Amino acid sequence: KSDSDTYTCDIGDAQSRAKLVVQEIPTLFKQELQNEEAKEGKQVKLTCELSKPDTPVKWMKGDTVLHASEKYEFKQHGTVAELIIRDVKSIDS
């Protein structure tokens, strides 16, 4: 997408211009989240795989956006996004 722009070929007094528009391919899930079970007090990791590397991911619990904290840790390696939930409680279900 960042290559979209106007390009010019200049040969002294003459110029030729062209506009390039790059259409992004939408990001899809290659592997969706899977249901998990965990014992109270333990740690659980939720993982999904995306079709494009380093795509920004927003993690949510219900309608609430999660933020990195002692409770939640986010990791992303290429196309794999992970949410680690520490010290799970029944309220985390």
Side-chain angles (χ1 to χ4, degrees):
K1 182 91 176 154
S2 63
D3 290 322
S4 294
D5 207 339
T6 300
Y7 290 84
T8 306
C9 181
D10 191 340
I11 55 169
D13 292 340
Q15 268 188 353
S16 180
R17 291 178 182 231
K19 184 175 183 176
L20 173 64
V21 177
V22 179
Q23 296 176 346
E24 285 189 274
I25 297 172
T27 302
L28 304 171
F29 286 104
K30 287 175 70 175
Q31 179 183 1
E32 294 192 13
L33 292 172
Q34 300 297 311
N35 293 336
E36 297 286 342
E37 287 187 21
K39 291 188 178 185
E40 202 166 31
K42 298 293 183 182
Q43 173 177 296
V44 67
K45 178 169 51 172
L46 301 176
T47 303
C48 62
E49 186 175 359
L50 312 169
S51 61
K52 290 168 62 174
D54 303 316
T55 300
V57 172
K58 176 172 58 174
W59 289 95
M60 300 178 70
K61 178 184 174 207
D63 294 330
T64 304
V65 176
L66 301 178
H67 300 282
S69 64
E70 288 183 23
K71 178 80 170 175
Y72 302 112
E73 180 181 355
F74 311 116
K75 292 185 179 182
Q76 197 161 352
H77 311 284
T79 58
V80 177
E82 298 175 340
L83 166 62
I84 298 166
I85 306 171
R86 295 186 184 91
D87 189 25
V88 294
K89 308 277 187 223
S90 59
I91 194 169
D92 294 314
S93 293

